[in-house]
Amino acid sequence: MIKQTYKKWIAACTVTSSLLLGACTSTPPSVRDVSIVPLPNNVQQDSSAFVLPKSCTIGITDSRLAPAAEYLTGILSPSTGYNIKVQDGEGTITLSLGEVEGKEGAYQLKTDTKKINIKGNSYGGVIAGIESLRQLFPPQIESKQIVDGVDWAIPSVEINDAPRFTWRGIMLDVSRHFYSKDEVKELLDVMALYKMNKFHWHLTDDQGWRIEIKKYPLLTEKGAWRKFNSHDKECIRQSKVNDNPDMAIPESKIRIVEGDTLYGGYYTQEDIKEVIAYAKVRGIDIVPEIDMPGHFSAAIKVYPELSCTGEAGWGEEFSYPICPSRPENYQFVQSIIDEMVEIFPSEYFHIGADEVEKDNWEQCEVCQRLMQQEGYQKVDELQNRFVKIMTNYVKGKGKKVMGWDDAFLEKEPQDLIYTYWRDWLPDQPGKITQKGYPIIFMEWSRFYLSATPSDEGLSSLYNFEFEPQFPGIVKQNVLGFQACVWTEMIPNERKFGQHVFPSLQAF
C-alpha cells in the first residue's frame, strides 16, 4: 500500500518538476527535461539520449558495490523484463567509488548515448546516484511487472550532486500502532528513492514494546499486546463511519487471548536483523530508540517493580516513569541495551528522555533520600542523573547517544545529540547549539507528519527557514532534519500514505 501510494506521487512530482523546468508535453521522451526529487545541485543536459539495451550489464569497480548493483538490477529488471547481468569492471552501467566533491553521499552521474557512469564518494553516494538514474527513466520503471511498449530512454546528462545535511531522516512510531517488517521495508524503499539516509525506529513506548529482548521475554509476550485503548476505539469508530477503510485496525494485528481482544505485535531479533540488512543495501542507517525513563509503561506493566509505586499508572500528564533511585533498574535497562547494541550496527543510539512525569519522584522516599545525598534541589536533577548514567553506559558501548531536547538541562547538559521538537521553546536550539552540542531539527508544527495533511502544512514544511522563529541557532551544529510519524491515529498503511505523501517530497 505504501508503494502504491508513492507511485502515484512519483508520477505527480514528475509532471510538476517538468513544468517547473519548462518542459513541453509534446517533447519526445528521449529528450525530455530532467525531473528529479530532490532537485540535484547541478544538471547539464543535451539533446541526445541513452536507451537501455536488452543486453545491459552493470559493472562494479569495487566489490563493496555488489549489493548496490544487485539493488539496481532489482529496479530495472522487473518492468523491462531484461536479464541484466552484474560483472566486475566496466559495464553498460558502471558503478564506482572515487573522489566527488561534497559531504558523504555526494555523487556524479554521467550518461551518453552508449553508457552510464555513477561515481560516489561513498557507498551512500552510489545509491544516491542510482536513485537519480531511477527517476530519469519513465515512471513505468516502478512497475513490478513487465511493461510493454515503453521507450526505456533517459536524457544524456551530467549530474553533480551532494547532500546539504549529513542527517536526512524519518522517524516511525511503531508503539501506538504497529507496522510489520514488510511494511517497514516499503517505507525504506521510499526513503531510498528520495535519498534519505536515517531511519529512527521508535520501538518502545507506553502503548507497546516492539522488540524481542531474550533476557526479559515478558516484554514481548505481554508488553507487546494491549486491550483496545482510546485511540484504537476512535479509529474503529471512524472506520465504521461510511465503511471507511482508512481508519480500520488490521486484523493481522489483533489476537484473542483468554477471551480478551488484544492489539499488538513485535519484531523478533531475526526480524530486526533482516530489516537492518535491507536498509543497508539502500544506504540507510537504522537508529533504534528505547524511550526512558518515561514512556515506559509497556515494560512497567509486566515488570512493575521498575516504578516508584510498584505498578504502572498515569500521573497528571504522562505515565509513571522508571524509578531513578534504584540501582537494579539501571541494570535492567542496561541489559536491554546490551542485547540491542549487538543487533544494531548504527553508531547512534537514542535513549528518549522526553515527557517524564516526575510527580512520583517527588513522593518517593528513596528518590528523596538520593536527592538529599546528591544535594539536588529539583527532581529535574534526578532525570539529568539518570540521563548521564545511561549516556555514559551507551557511550561505553561505542555509540553516539541521542536524546529528545527535553533531556537538555542548561546548567549541566549531557553529551548528547539532541533531537529538537518542542517549538514552543524557540530559544532551545540556540541554547543547545551555542554550548557546542549538535541537534537534529524536527520541530513538531512542521516536521511531524501525524496531523491531518493540509496545503498550509505542506507549504510551511516546504518553505521552512530558521529565522525569525529560532533565534541564535548555530547552524553548523545542525546535523540535519527529520520528519516524524506518530501513529496514534494512523492505524494502517493506507492512512499512513495519506499523511506521509506528498509531505515527504516537500521535506
Side-chain angles (χ1 to χ4, degrees), residues 130-149:
I130 287 173
E131 301 303 344
S132 285
L133 174 63
R134 176 180 178 180
Q135 293 190 49
L136 290 174
F137 280 102
Q140 294 92 331
I141 200 70
E142 297 298 324
S143 174
K144 295 306 177 186
Q145 297 179 341
I146 296 175
V147 182
D148 295 323

Side-chain angles (χ1 to χ4, degrees), residues 167 169-173 191 198-203 285-290 350 402 404 419 442 482-484 486:
W167 194 286
I170 188 167
M171 187 222 76
L172 177 63
D173 157 37
M191 289 179 62
K198 302 292 183 185
F199 177 56
H200 174 176
W201 210 348
H202 188 80
L203 288 162
D285 180 31
I286 296 186
V287 180
E289 179 187 355
I290 298 295
H350 203 299
M402 303 172 65
W404 297 102
T419 47
M442 53 186 78
Q482 184 166 288
C484 296
W486 301 98

Side-chain angles (χ1 to χ4, degrees), residues 476-495:
Q476 60 263 37
N477 288 335
V478 178
L479 297 184
F481 292 80
Q482 184 166 288
C484 296
V485 184
W486 301 98
T487 60
E488 287 93 337
M489 297 302 295
I490 306 178
N492 58 49
E493 281 190 293
R494 183 185 181 102
K495 183 66 171 171

